[in-house]
Amino acid sequence: MLRIGCHLSSSKGYLHMGREAVSIGANTFQFFTRNPRGGSAKPVDEKDAAAYRAFAEANGLGTILAHAPYTLNGCSADPAIRDFARRTMLDDLQRLEYVPGSLYNFHPGSHVGQGVQAGVEMIADMLNRILWEDMRTTVLLETMAGKGSEVGGSFEELRAIIDRVEMKHKLGVCLDTCHVSDAGYDIAGNLNGVLEEFDRVIGLDRLKAVHVNDSKNPLGARKDRHEKIGLGHLGTEAIVRVINHPALRNLPFLLETPNELDGYAAEIALLKEAYR
Ligand code: FE
Ligand code: FE
Ligand code: ZN
C-alpha cells in the first residue's frame, strides 16, 4: 500500500491534522514543529496527542514526519544562532516523545562562508549534544538543493555528518526529489543511477522518507523552488517511477508542492492511481 501524505498546518494540533489527512485520502502527513520562522512552540497538549494516537491507530495513519523550522542553522558563524538551533531541536525532540516512533526532518544548515568541512563538524557536534539513547524518534537529514552555502547538497556531505555522529542508529535521510534534481542528481532521467550513488555513498538503509515535489527549475539549478506534480522539470512520469521504485516504494512519501488541501487531494489520488 502506498504511504502518501502532504504538508499540513500544525496550528490546530495533532488530531486536527489527522482528520485533515484522512479527509484528503492521505495515510501520513508532515508538519512544522512550530512557526517555520522559528518562534516559540505552544506547550504540548497531552490530551490532543493521546486523542491523535487513538485516531491514527483507528484510521490507519502511519509514521508521520515532523519538520524543523527551516531557519534553524546549527552551523552558523554566530554561536548564539547555533545555540538557538540546538536548543530548539532538543525541545522539538522532547515534545515528539508524545507521538512515539515519528520521524524528525531538518535542513542541515548553511556554513555561511566557513566552508563545508566546518559546517559538517558543527552540525555533527550539535547532533552529538542532543540525541539520547532512549529517544523514540528517528532524526532525518534532508538532501538539499545546494543553494548558497547550504550543507547537504551532495550525498557525500550528508555521509560526512553521519560519520561524525555517535548515535548513528538514531539518524536517517529524507530524499527531496526537487532538491536532489536542483543539486544536479538526474532523478528524472536516471533514477537507478542516482539511487545506486545514494547506496554507495550513504547506504539505502538510511533512507527513511521521500519529499515528493516537482521543480520549477532544471537539473542542477540550485534554486529550491517546488512545483506542482507534472508542472515542473521532473514531470509526472518521473515522479511515478519514484513512488514505484523497489528501493523506495515502501517509504512514506510527503508532498510539499504549492497547493491548498484540494490540490493535495488531487495529487494524492493521482499517485495512488499510479501505484502498482
Ligand atoms: Fe525541508
Ligand atoms: Fe523537502
Ligand atoms: Zn525545498
Side-chain angles (χ1 to χ4, degrees):
M1 180 200 52
L2 179 63
R3 270 285 156 216
I4 182 122
C6 64
H7 190 91
L8 297 174
S9 165
S10 57
S11 61
K12 292 179 182 159
Y14 282 114
L15 182 59
H16 184 83
M17 288 191 284
R19 290 190 194 285
E20 218 162 51
V22 168
S23 80
I24 57 172
N27 51 24
T28 178
F29 59 89
Q30 171 178 281
F31 59 100
F32 283 126
T33 53
R34 60 189 74 213
N35 184 303
R37 297 249 149 236
S40 66
K42 285 181 284 188
V44 176
D45 180 342
E46 292 184 40
K47 274 191 190 143
D48 173 56
Y52 168 74
R53 292 195 304 268
F55 181 86
E57 171 82 36
N59 289 275
L61 288 172
T63 309
I64 54 175
L65 200 158
H67 195 308
Y70 49 76
T71 45
L72 297 184
N73 190 7
C75 59
S76 168
D78 180 345
I81 291 175
R82 295 201 298 271
D83 198 57
F84 177 74
R86 181 175 54 78
R87 283 184 287 110
T88 302
M89 283 184 57
L90 177 58
D91 183 54
D92 279 352
L93 289 171
Q94 287 167 340
R95 299 152 61 83
L96 274 173
E97 289 296 308
Y98 288 93
V99 189
S102 299
L103 302 169
Y104 179 72
N105 175 65
F106 77 107
H107 295 181
S110 293
H111 65 70
V112 290
Q114 302 173 98
V116 169
Q117 177 72 17
V120 161
E121 284 170 13
M122 285 187 267
I123 295 158
D125 176 62
M126 174 179 73
L127 290 168
N128 280 328
R129 293 174 67 186
I130 61 182
L131 302 179
W132 71 97
E133 191 52 52
D134 295 332
M135 66 188 292
R136 290 171 287 180
T137 302
T138 300
V139 176
L140 308 185
L141 298 153
E142 183 166 354
T143 61
M144 300 310 295
K147 76 175 180 323
S149 66
E150 266 174 2
V151 179
S154 74
F155 299 157
E156 283 80 4
E157 290 174 16
L158 296 178
R159 171 63 191 264
I161 296 167
I162 295 166
D163 275 344
R164 284 170 177 75
V165 174
E166 284 148 34
M167 291 189 199
K168 291 177 178 54
H169 55 294
K170 303 293 181 190
L171 290 184
V173 172
C174 175
L175 184 134
D176 185 309
T177 56
C178 166
H179 295 179
V180 292
S181 171
D182 275 28
Y185 294 99
D186 190 6
I187 196 158
N190 184 15
L191 177 60
N192 277 325
V194 172
L195 293 177
E196 277 163 23
E197 188 165 352
F198 187 101
D199 194 36
R200 182 173 53 76
V201 177
I202 300 177
L204 279 168
D205 56 331
R206 288 268 178 220
L207 189 51
K208 303 297 182 193
V210 179
H211 282 163
V212 187
N213 302 308
D214 212 325
S215 177
K216 284 192 195 293
N217 294 289
L219 179 68
R222 295 180 173 260
K223 296 274 199 218
D224 190 1
R225 295 283 310 282
H226 303 184
E227 181 54 283
K228 293 176 183 170
I229 303 303
L231 299 186
H233 285 259
L234 301 189
T236 305
E237 281 308 306
I239 300 288
V240 167
R241 283 194 293 274
V242 166
I243 62 166
N244 283 294
H245 194 282
L248 308 177
R249 55 182 291 115
N250 294 317
L251 295 172
F253 294 98
L254 288 312
L255 294 156
E256 301 176 306
T257 45
N259 276 304
E260 302 296 329
L261 280 184
D262 57 345
Y264 279 133
E267 289 186 347
I268 289 166
L270 170 83
L271 296 180
K272 277 182 170 174
E273 181 67 32
Y275 190 67
R276 288 175 276 273

